[in-house]
mmCIF file of all heavy atoms in Angstrom:
data_model
loop_
_atom_site.group_PDB
_atom_site.id
_atom_site.type_symbol
_atom_site.label_atom_id
_atom_site.label_comp_id
_atom_site.label_asym_id
_atom_site.label_seq_id
_atom_site.Cartn_x
_atom_site.Cartn_y
_atom_site.Cartn_z
ATOM 1 N N ASP A 147 115.406 -147.351 73.062
ATOM 2 C CA ASP A 147 116.007 -147.840 74.304
ATOM 3 C C ASP A 147 114.965 -148.127 75.383
ATOM 4 O O ASP A 147 115.093 -149.091 76.145
ATOM 5 C CB ASP A 147 117.036 -146.824 74.834
ATOM 6 C CG ASP A 147 118.399 -146.978 74.163
ATOM 7 O OD1 ASP A 147 118.622 -148.010 73.500
ATOM 8 O OD2 ASP A 147 119.237 -146.075 74.293
ATOM 9 N N ARG A 148 113.940 -147.316 75.442
ATOM 10 C CA ARG A 148 112.908 -147.546 76.463
ATOM 11 C C ARG A 148 112.191 -148.867 76.211
ATOM 12 O O ARG A 148 111.959 -149.647 77.148
ATOM 13 C CB ARG A 148 111.913 -146.382 76.455
ATOM 14 C CG ARG A 148 110.897 -146.431 77.587
ATOM 15 C CD ARG A 148 110.073 -145.159 77.614
ATOM 16 N NE ARG A 148 109.074 -145.202 78.667
ATOM 17 C CZ ARG A 148 108.226 -144.212 78.920
ATOM 18 N NH1 ARG A 148 108.286 -143.087 78.199
ATOM 19 N NH2 ARG A 148 107.341 -144.328 79.887
ATOM 20 N N ALA A 149 111.864 -149.132 74.949
ATOM 21 C CA ALA A 149 111.179 -150.386 74.619
ATOM 22 C C ALA A 149 112.106 -151.579 74.819
ATOM 23 O O ALA A 149 111.669 -152.645 75.279
ATOM 24 C CB ALA A 149 110.675 -150.347 73.175
ATOM 25 N N LEU A 150 113.383 -151.417 74.488
ATOM 26 C CA LEU A 150 114.341 -152.502 74.702
ATOM 27 C C LEU A 150 114.471 -152.821 76.189
ATOM 28 O O LEU A 150 114.557 -153.990 76.573
ATOM 29 C CB LEU A 150 115.701 -152.119 74.120
ATOM 30 C CG LEU A 150 115.805 -152.103 72.595
ATOM 31 C CD1 LEU A 150 117.088 -151.402 72.149
ATOM 32 C CD2 LEU A 150 115.758 -153.519 72.025
ATOM 33 N N ALA A 151 114.489 -151.782 77.010
ATOM 34 C CA ALA A 151 114.569 -152.010 78.451
ATOM 35 C C ALA A 151 113.334 -152.747 78.948
ATOM 36 O O ALA A 151 113.429 -153.663 79.786
ATOM 37 C CB ALA A 151 114.726 -150.674 79.177
ATOM 38 N N HIS A 152 112.171 -152.389 78.422
ATOM 39 C CA HIS A 152 110.928 -153.078 78.810
ATOM 40 C C HIS A 152 110.975 -154.545 78.405
ATOM 41 O O HIS A 152 110.474 -155.420 79.126
ATOM 42 C CB HIS A 152 109.728 -152.387 78.168
ATOM 43 C CG HIS A 152 108.418 -153.037 78.471
ATOM 44 N ND1 HIS A 152 107.843 -153.976 77.624
ATOM 45 C CD2 HIS A 152 107.581 -152.922 79.536
ATOM 46 C CE1 HIS A 152 106.699 -154.388 78.145
ATOM 47 N NE2 HIS A 152 106.514 -153.768 79.306
ATOM 48 N N ASN A 153 111.593 -154.830 77.250
ATOM 49 C CA ASN A 153 111.616 -156.205 76.726
ATOM 50 C C ASN A 153 112.631 -157.104 77.417
ATOM 51 O O ASN A 153 112.696 -158.302 77.122
ATOM 52 C CB ASN A 153 111.906 -156.187 75.222
ATOM 53 C CG ASN A 153 110.695 -155.794 74.403
ATOM 54 O OD1 ASN A 153 109.596 -155.661 74.933
ATOM 55 N ND2 ASN A 153 110.902 -155.592 73.105
ATOM 56 N N ARG A 154 113.393 -156.567 78.323
ATOM 57 C CA ARG A 154 114.353 -157.410 79.039
ATOM 58 C C ARG A 154 113.652 -158.561 79.758
ATOM 59 O O ARG A 154 114.234 -159.631 79.956
ATOM 60 C CB ARG A 154 115.153 -156.579 80.051
ATOM 61 C CG ARG A 154 116.121 -155.586 79.430
ATOM 62 C CD ARG A 154 116.776 -154.728 80.505
ATOM 63 N NE ARG A 154 117.648 -155.528 81.357
ATOM 64 C CZ ARG A 154 118.927 -155.764 81.108
ATOM 65 N NH1 ARG A 154 119.488 -155.268 80.017
ATOM 66 N NH2 ARG A 154 119.650 -156.499 81.927
ATOM 67 N N GLU A 155 112.398 -158.336 80.140
ATOM 68 C CA GLU A 155 111.667 -159.377 80.857
ATOM 69 C C GLU A 155 111.374 -160.595 79.984
ATOM 70 O O GLU A 155 110.987 -161.651 80.492
ATOM 71 C CB GLU A 155 110.367 -158.806 81.434
ATOM 72 C CG GLU A 155 109.464 -158.071 80.431
ATOM 73 C CD GLU A 155 108.523 -158.993 79.676
ATOM 74 O OE1 GLU A 155 108.313 -160.127 80.171
ATOM 75 O OE2 GLU A 155 108.021 -158.594 78.614
ATOM 76 N N LEU A 156 111.586 -160.467 78.673
ATOM 77 C CA LEU A 156 111.392 -161.622 77.785
ATOM 78 C C LEU A 156 112.383 -162.743 78.083
ATOM 79 O O LEU A 156 112.065 -163.923 77.898
ATOM 80 C CB LEU A 156 111.584 -161.204 76.320
ATOM 81 C CG LEU A 156 110.494 -160.397 75.623
ATOM 82 C CD1 LEU A 156 110.975 -160.008 74.231
ATOM 83 C CD2 LEU A 156 109.211 -161.199 75.544
ATOM 84 N N TYR A 157 113.584 -162.380 78.507
ATOM 85 C CA TYR A 157 114.703 -163.312 78.471
ATOM 86 C C TYR A 157 114.973 -163.954 79.825
ATOM 87 O O TYR A 157 114.926 -163.316 80.880
ATOM 88 C CB TYR A 157 115.967 -162.591 77.965
ATOM 89 C CG TYR A 157 115.751 -161.980 76.602
ATOM 90 C CD1 TYR A 157 115.526 -160.607 76.462
ATOM 91 C CD2 TYR A 157 115.714 -162.773 75.460
ATOM 92 C CE1 TYR A 157 115.299 -160.050 75.213
ATOM 93 C CE2 TYR A 157 115.482 -162.214 74.208
ATOM 94 C CZ TYR A 157 115.271 -160.859 74.095
ATOM 95 O OH TYR A 157 115.032 -160.311 72.869
ATOM 96 N N THR A 158 115.312 -165.236 79.749
ATOM 97 C CA THR A 158 115.714 -165.970 80.944
ATOM 98 C C THR A 158 117.061 -165.468 81.438
ATOM 99 O O THR A 158 117.270 -165.287 82.643
ATOM 100 C CB THR A 158 115.821 -167.473 80.620
ATOM 101 O OG1 THR A 158 114.688 -167.885 79.863
ATOM 102 C CG2 THR A 158 115.923 -168.292 81.888
ATOM 103 N N ARG A 159 117.985 -165.255 80.500
ATOM 104 C CA ARG A 159 119.315 -164.746 80.831
ATOM 105 C C ARG A 159 119.809 -163.866 79.692
ATOM 106 O O ARG A 159 119.444 -164.083 78.535
ATOM 107 C CB ARG A 159 120.321 -165.889 81.050
ATOM 108 C CG ARG A 159 120.112 -166.695 82.329
ATOM 109 C CD ARG A 159 121.191 -167.765 82.473
ATOM 110 N NE ARG A 159 121.110 -168.774 81.428
ATOM 111 C CZ ARG A 159 122.143 -169.430 80.922
ATOM 112 N NH1 ARG A 159 123.380 -169.141 81.330
ATOM 113 N NH2 ARG A 159 121.969 -170.363 79.996
ATOM 114 N N LEU A 160 120.651 -162.882 80.031
ATOM 115 C CA LEU A 160 121.267 -162.005 79.040
ATOM 116 C C LEU A 160 122.779 -162.046 79.216
ATOM 117 O O LEU A 160 123.289 -162.081 80.341
ATOM 118 C CB LEU A 160 120.764 -160.569 79.200
ATOM 119 C CG LEU A 160 119.313 -160.309 78.775
ATOM 120 C CD1 LEU A 160 118.831 -158.980 79.326
ATOM 121 C CD2 LEU A 160 119.195 -160.332 77.249
ATOM 122 N N PHE A 161 123.493 -162.028 78.085
ATOM 123 C CA PHE A 161 124.952 -162.130 78.085
ATOM 124 C C PHE A 161 125.566 -160.779 77.756
ATOM 125 O O PHE A 161 125.189 -160.127 76.771
ATOM 126 C CB PHE A 161 125.393 -163.171 77.048
ATOM 127 C CG PHE A 161 126.874 -163.244 76.828
ATOM 128 C CD1 PHE A 161 127.719 -163.656 77.834
ATOM 129 C CD2 PHE A 161 127.430 -162.896 75.595
ATOM 130 C CE1 PHE A 161 129.096 -163.732 77.637
ATOM 131 C CE2 PHE A 161 128.794 -162.968 75.375
ATOM 132 C CZ PHE A 161 129.628 -163.391 76.405
ATOM 133 N N ASP A 162 126.521 -160.344 78.553
ATOM 134 C CA ASP A 162 127.261 -159.115 78.264
ATOM 135 C C ASP A 162 128.352 -159.451 77.251
ATOM 136 O O ASP A 162 129.371 -160.061 77.587
ATOM 137 C CB ASP A 162 127.874 -158.562 79.549
ATOM 138 C CG ASP A 162 128.597 -157.236 79.322
ATOM 139 O OD1 ASP A 162 128.722 -156.811 78.150
ATOM 140 O OD2 ASP A 162 129.048 -156.626 80.311
ATOM 141 N N SER A 163 128.143 -159.043 75.994
ATOM 142 C CA SER A 163 129.055 -159.429 74.915
ATOM 143 C C SER A 163 130.157 -158.420 74.661
ATOM 144 O O SER A 163 130.927 -158.566 73.711
ATOM 145 C CB SER A 163 128.262 -159.639 73.617
ATOM 146 O OG SER A 163 127.684 -158.418 73.176
ATOM 147 N N GLY A 164 130.256 -157.377 75.500
ATOM 148 C CA GLY A 164 131.351 -156.436 75.344
ATOM 149 C C GLY A 164 130.901 -155.081 74.852
ATOM 150 O O GLY A 164 129.703 -154.775 74.812
ATOM 151 N N PRO A 165 131.854 -154.230 74.448
ATOM 152 C CA PRO A 165 131.540 -152.852 74.060
ATOM 153 C C PRO A 165 130.687 -152.785 72.802
ATOM 154 O O PRO A 165 130.555 -153.757 72.058
ATOM 155 C CB PRO A 165 132.925 -152.232 73.831
ATOM 156 C CG PRO A 165 133.819 -153.388 73.519
ATOM 157 C CD PRO A 165 133.298 -154.534 74.331
ATOM 158 N N ALA A 166 130.122 -151.622 72.555
ATOM 159 C CA ALA A 166 129.237 -151.431 71.400
ATOM 160 C C ALA A 166 129.955 -151.726 70.085
ATOM 161 O O ALA A 166 129.379 -152.297 69.163
ATOM 162 C CB ALA A 166 128.680 -150.015 71.397
ATOM 163 N N ARG A 167 131.240 -151.334 69.993
ATOM 164 C CA ARG A 167 132.017 -151.615 68.787
ATOM 165 C C ARG A 167 132.960 -152.771 69.080
ATOM 166 O O ARG A 167 133.941 -152.628 69.808
ATOM 167 C CB ARG A 167 132.797 -150.371 68.363
ATOM 168 C CG ARG A 167 131.931 -149.296 67.741
ATOM 169 C CD ARG A 167 132.731 -148.037 67.479
ATOM 170 N NE ARG A 167 133.842 -148.253 66.563
ATOM 171 C CZ ARG A 167 134.797 -147.361 66.331
ATOM 172 N NH1 ARG A 167 134.791 -146.212 66.958
ATOM 173 N NH2 ARG A 167 135.769 -147.626 65.487
ATOM 174 N N ARG A 168 132.623 -153.912 68.496
ATOM 175 C CA ARG A 168 133.459 -155.097 68.647
ATOM 176 C C ARG A 168 133.304 -155.945 67.400
ATOM 177 O O ARG A 168 132.212 -156.017 66.813
ATOM 178 C CB ARG A 168 133.032 -155.903 69.883
ATOM 179 C CG ARG A 168 133.931 -157.088 70.175
ATOM 180 C CD ARG A 168 133.437 -157.932 71.332
ATOM 181 N NE ARG A 168 134.402 -158.999 71.622
ATOM 182 C CZ ARG A 168 134.191 -159.976 72.498
ATOM 183 N NH1 ARG A 168 133.053 -160.039 73.172
ATOM 184 N NH2 ARG A 168 135.121 -160.903 72.701
ATOM 185 N N ASP A 169 134.366 -156.596 66.977
ATOM 186 C CA ASP A 169 134.306 -157.469 65.810
ATOM 187 C C ASP A 169 133.158 -158.463 65.962
ATOM 188 O O ASP A 169 133.018 -159.117 66.995
ATOM 189 C CB ASP A 169 135.635 -158.214 65.661
ATOM 190 C CG ASP A 169 135.622 -159.163 64.481
ATOM 191 O OD1 ASP A 169 135.966 -158.736 63.378
ATOM 192 O OD2 ASP A 169 135.242 -160.341 64.676
ATOM 193 N N LYS A 170 132.340 -158.568 64.920
ATOM 194 C CA LYS A 170 131.126 -159.385 65.029
ATOM 195 C C LYS A 170 131.425 -160.856 65.253
ATOM 196 O O LYS A 170 130.729 -161.524 66.028
ATOM 197 C CB LYS A 170 130.266 -159.218 63.776
ATOM 198 C CG LYS A 170 129.522 -157.906 63.735
ATOM 199 C CD LYS A 170 128.361 -157.952 62.776
ATOM 200 C CE LYS A 170 127.519 -156.680 62.940
ATOM 201 N NZ LYS A 170 126.270 -156.736 62.170
#
């Protein structure tokens, strides 16, 4: 999680796709 948080700067935009368990 720490590395994922650091990598947020990679992206121009991020989409909130919903809860952790959701039909793919």
Side-chain angles (χ1 to χ4, degrees):
D147 277 346
R148 187 173 179 179
L150 288 167
H152 178 266
N153 283 353
R154 291 175 67 88
E155 53 86 19
L156 285 175
Y157 303 102
T158 315
R159 289 182 295 148
L160 288 165
F161 173 65
D162 183 354
S163 65
R167 286 174 61 190
R168 185 184 184 187
D169 179 89
K170 284 199 171 188

